[in-house]
């Protein structure tokens, strides 16, 4: 108890103890080692008998305590083993980042391997794990940014490739479609040529024996190689048909393009009720008609000797347009209706039916040849299709030809007001297609209409050079339409209207810019090209007259006669000189007489003003002489442009002064 009381920090008395601050210890504090107990524990030594000034020592001892050194435990401990080597397959992926301490590696950034990403056998999870196992956060962000960049670049390349492929595909498709159309056209032309040449070779003339048979055959072979002789070949076929088949010329007159497609004489006509043969017939299929001719016996002299079979002739019985009949396979229709027995019993498997309006005619091949029937049906379908295409094309061409002039004339007020042109258009029965040769190409009347529309646009936008060039070009083309005077007059009427409208616009521009040499020259040149050079001259001189009158009226007489005469004289002569100079630059020399006439008129007006002012003073007085001297000096300006009107001014002034006096 006594020890615990002695360790108190309080001191009896009225004075408080002073506590010093902590002090830095530069070395170990020496102290006495306490005796160790039997247990071997360490004990902190304590002072039992404290002195009155020992409080500060206790505080110091609290801030700096010394611990005894621990025993050495490393005696007999084995050394630390070394770090094992990293396998070669993982050596490239385990690199130490620059910002991570304690990791191995060279500190280089991660290498972005594009070839590895292109590998089809790539395992993404394994690859990323191996690559980023030792990477820092900054390395991972940089690698992620690289992946985003390569992704965006790949996406952009893919879009460009898709667009290029699409463009090339569209271009190739158009070329293929165009080539397909050209090949179809060539195929049709070759089919027609082959059919026509084949029919010529297999015509009935081949059975006739004549001395010139070989020569005719060689001539036909030569004609096969020339498409230009097709028309004459077709005419020869028709003439032969007229000679061989009576009354055929009545049904089939000669028209351009008509020719024989197929001819076969091994057919018989069947009764529509009993399907029994009635008479042998000869079928001739043309490109637009089907002719049926019956075989009849010729009249012979009964008194003459008869040898061999009786002679026959062909007489045309029926003729139908291909687009007005239906050719039906009778055997196929009956077989589809479930009457195969009747087909076999009556032998009508090779029969066909021709339906025209309310009539029906049945024909069967004489030798019951199935191929002959199929060839007839096939040729008929092809001929009908070609005929429809030709008629459709002719209809479109005739519609364009007939409507071109009406449309061209009716939509324009200028041409619609021309009664003679409209009457001529309506009176013309035949309205062939109007073709104009432009730069080696044939253009129709619609092209002229489009050019006039473009001309209207140029005039509205004041593209004067383009508009004048178009008018000149269209006028040259219109002069080439000598074979069609109605179309020529129609085009010229519309061009004259546009030219007049353009000339009005150019005249207005000329009046607005008459003081500028360049603008005046351009406007007068355009007007001269349009044929309105007289209008340009009159507009220019009229504008200059207005300028002189306006400037002269601005000169006010305020009592000083010399000053007033100077002003009026200067206005007249300076404007006249400039006008003559611009006129000489913008107009040809042949039109100079109009300018001289205009100058004289202006000088006459000036003389009237001068005489009126000088009439108030005496002739020969100093004021009169000063005024005349000013006029003579200003009159010298006209000498610069090659004009001399001194006598005109002097004579006019003298006579005028004498008259007033």
């Amino acid at each position: 108890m006594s020890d615990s009381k002695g360790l108190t920090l309080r001191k009896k008395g009225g004075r408080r103890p002073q506590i010093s601050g902590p002090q830095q210890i530069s070395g170990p504090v020496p102290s006495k080692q306490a005796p160790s107990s039997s247990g071997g524990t360490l004990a902190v030594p304590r002072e039992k008998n404290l002195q009155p000034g020992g409080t500060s020592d206790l505080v110091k001892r609290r801030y700096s305590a010394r611990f005894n050194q621990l025993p050495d435990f490393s005696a007999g401990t084995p050394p630390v083993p070394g770090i094992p080597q990293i396998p070669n397959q993982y050596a490239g992926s385990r690199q130490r980042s620059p910002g991570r301490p304690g990791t191995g590696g060279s500190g280089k950034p991660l290498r972005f391997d594009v070839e590895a990403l292109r590998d089809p056998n790539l395992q993404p999870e394994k690859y990323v794990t191996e690559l980023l196992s030792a990477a820092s956060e900054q390395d991972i962000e940089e690698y992620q940014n690289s992946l985003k960049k390569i992704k965006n670049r790949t996406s952009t390349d893919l879009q460009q490739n898709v667009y290029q492929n699409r463009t090339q595909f569209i271009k190739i498709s158009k070329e293929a479609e165009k080539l397909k159309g050209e090949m179809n056209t060539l195929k049709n032309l070759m089919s027609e040529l082959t059919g026509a040449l084949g029919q010529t070779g297999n015509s009935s003339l081949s059975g006739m024996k004549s001395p010139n048979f070989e020569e005719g055959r060689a001539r036909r072979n030569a004609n096969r190689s020339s498409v230009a002789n097709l028309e004459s070949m077709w005419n020869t076929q028709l003439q032969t048909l007229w000679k061989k088949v009576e009354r055929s010329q009545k049904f089939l007159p000669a028209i351009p393009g008509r020719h024989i497609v197929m001819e076969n004489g091994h057919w018989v006509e069947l009764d529509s009720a009993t399907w029994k043969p009635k008479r042998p017939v000869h079928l001739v299929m043309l490109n637009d008609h089907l002719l049926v001719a019956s075989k009849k016996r010729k009249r012979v002299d009964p008194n003459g000797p008869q040898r061999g079979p009786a002679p026959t002739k062909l007489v045309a019985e029926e003729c139908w347009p291909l687009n007005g009949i239906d050719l039906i396979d009778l055997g196929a229709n009956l077989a589809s209706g479930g009457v195969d027995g009747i087909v076999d019993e009556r032998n009508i498997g090779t029969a066909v039916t021709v339906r025209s309006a309310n009539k029906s005619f049945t024909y069967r091949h004489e030798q019951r040849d199935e191929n002959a029937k199929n060839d007839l049906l096939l040729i008929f379908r092809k001929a009908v299709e070609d005929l429809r295409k030709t008629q459709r094309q002719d209809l479109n061409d005739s519609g364009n030809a007939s409507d071109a002039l009406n449309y061209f004339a009716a939509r324009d007020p200028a041409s619609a007001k021309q009664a003679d042109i409209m009457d001529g258009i309506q009176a013309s029965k035949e309205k062939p297609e109007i073709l104009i040769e432009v730069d080696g190409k044939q253009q129709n009347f619609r092209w002229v209409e489009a050019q006039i529309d473009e001309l209207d646009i140029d005039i509205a936008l004041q593209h004067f050079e383009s508009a004048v060039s178009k008018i000149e070009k269209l006028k040259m083309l219109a002069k080439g339409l000598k074979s069609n005077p109605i179309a020529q007059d129609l085009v010229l009427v519309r061009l004259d209207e546009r030219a007049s409208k353009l000339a009005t616009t150019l005249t207005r521009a000329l009046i607005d810019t008459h003081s500028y040499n360049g603008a005046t020259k351009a406007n007068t040149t355009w007007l001269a090209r349009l044929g309105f050079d007289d209008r340009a001259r009159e507009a220019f001189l009229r504008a200059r007259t207005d300028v002189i009158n306006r400037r002269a009226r601005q000169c006010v007489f305020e009592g000083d006669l010399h000053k007033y005469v100077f002003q009026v004289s200067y206005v007249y002569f300076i404007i006249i000189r400039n006008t003559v100079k611009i006129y000489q630059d913008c107009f040809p020399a042949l039109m100079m007489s109009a300018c001289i006439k205009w100058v004289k008129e202006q000088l006459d007006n000036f003389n009237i003003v001068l005489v009126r002012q000088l009439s108030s003073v005496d002739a020969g007085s100093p004021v009169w002489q000063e005024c005349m001297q000013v006029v003579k000096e200003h009159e010298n300006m006209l000498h610069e442009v090659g004009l001399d009107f001194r006598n005109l001014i002097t004579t006019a002034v003298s006579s005028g002064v004498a008259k007033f006096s």
Side-chain angles (χ1 to χ4, degrees), residues 261-282:
V261 177
M262 189 207 72
E263 185 176 0
N264 196 327
H266 303 287
W267 290 82
V268 293
E269 182 180 357
L270 302 180
D271 190 351
S272 300
T274 61
W275 289 342
K276 292 183 179 180
K278 291 176 58 178
R279 56 185 175 181
V281 295
H282 190 89

Side-chain angles (χ1 to χ4, degrees), residues 622-633:
V623 176
W624 189 87
Q625 292 180 358
E626 291 179 359
C627 293
M628 292 301 298
Q629 184 65 28
V630 168
V631 172
K632 291 180 180 179
E633 291 178 358

Side-chain angles (χ1 to χ4, degrees), residues 42 67-73:
L42 298 177
F67 299 93
N68 294 331
Q69 295 183 356
L70 297 176
D72 187 9
F73 297 102

Side-chain angles (χ1 to χ4, degrees), residues 246 294-300 309-315:
E246 294 182 3
S294 62
K295 296 180 181 180
K296 296 183 180 181
R297 293 183 180 181
K298 290 184 178 181
R299 293 182 180 181
V300 296
T312 60
K313 63 178 180 179
L314 297 177
V315 180

Side-chain angles (χ1 to χ4, degrees), residues 323-451:
N323 53 4
I325 62 173
D326 293 330
L327 190 62
I328 303 172
D329 188 357
L330 186 60
N333 287 350
L334 294 177
S336 61
V339 287
D340 296 343
I342 298 178
V343 174
D344 297 337
E345 180 181 357
R346 302 296 177 91
N347 294 324
I348 58 173
T350 58
V352 295
T353 299
V354 179
R355 291 182 180 177
S356 174
N358 297 328
K359 297 181 180 180
S360 297
F361 301 89
T362 304
Y363 304 97
R364 187 191 65 191
H365 194 263
E366 186 178 9
Q367 300 176 359
R368 297 177 177 85
D369 188 359
E370 187 75 19
N371 295 330
K373 181 197 69 173
N374 295 334
D375 292 342
L376 176 64
L377 294 173
L378 182 62
I379 294 174
F380 173 77
R381 295 191 186 100
K382 184 179 182 301
V384 170
E385 184 65 24
D386 294 342
L387 180 62
R388 289 176 180 174
K389 291 181 180 179
T390 304
Q391 290 178 348
R392 191 182 303 113
Q393 183 66 28
D394 294 342
L395 181 61
N396 294 335
D397 295 342
S398 62
N400 294 336
S402 61
D403 295 340
L405 289 176
N406 293 330
Y407 174 78
F408 189 74
R411 73 186 295 266
D412 190 72
S415 56
K417 294 179 181 179
Q418 300 291 331
D420 52 349
I421 296 178
M422 298 301 297
D423 294 341
I425 294 175
Q426 299 297 333
S428 59
K429 297 181 180 179
E430 296 183 0
K431 300 175 182 179
E433 179 69 14
I434 301 175
L435 298 178
I436 304 174
E437 186 174 355
V438 182
D439 297 334
K441 296 181 180 180
Q442 296 292 334
Q443 303 291 346
N444 55 14
F445 222 68
R446 297 281 182 172
W447 180 86
V448 179
E449 178 66 23
Q451 293 297 314

Side-chain angles (χ1 to χ4, degrees), residues 17 135 145 225 291 301 357 422 446 501 521 541 557 572 609:
N145 294 333
S225 61
L291 177 68
D301 187 6
M422 298 301 297
R446 297 281 182 172
K501 183 178 179 181
K521 186 174 183 180
L541 295 178
F557 180 68
Y572 268 90
V609 176

Side-chain angles (χ1 to χ4, degrees), residues 149-217:
K149 291 180 181 179
I150 194 64
K151 178 184 177 182
N152 296 333
R153 186 174 62 187
T154 305
S155 177
T156 304
D157 295 342
L158 181 60
Q159 292 178 0
Q160 294 179 355
N161 292 336
V162 170
Y163 177 75
Q164 292 178 358
N165 294 338
R166 178 178 176 274
T167 305
Q168 294 178 359
F169 177 76
I170 294 174
K171 184 178 179 181
I172 294 174
S173 299
K174 291 181 179 179
E175 293 179 356
E177 190 69 22
K178 183 179 179 181
L179 181 61
K180 182 179 178 181
E182 294 177 354
M183 292 300 297
N184 291 333
T185 304
L186 181 60
K187 180 180 177 181
N188 295 334
L189 294 176
M190 292 300 297
S191 299
E192 293 178 1
L193 178 61
T194 304
L197 295 176
Q199 291 300 324
T200 304
N202 297 330
S203 61
S204 60
L205 293 177
S206 61
M208 299 181 181
K209 300 298 182 179
S210 63
N212 298 329
F213 176 74
E214 295 297 334
E215 181 181 356
R217 181 177 180 181

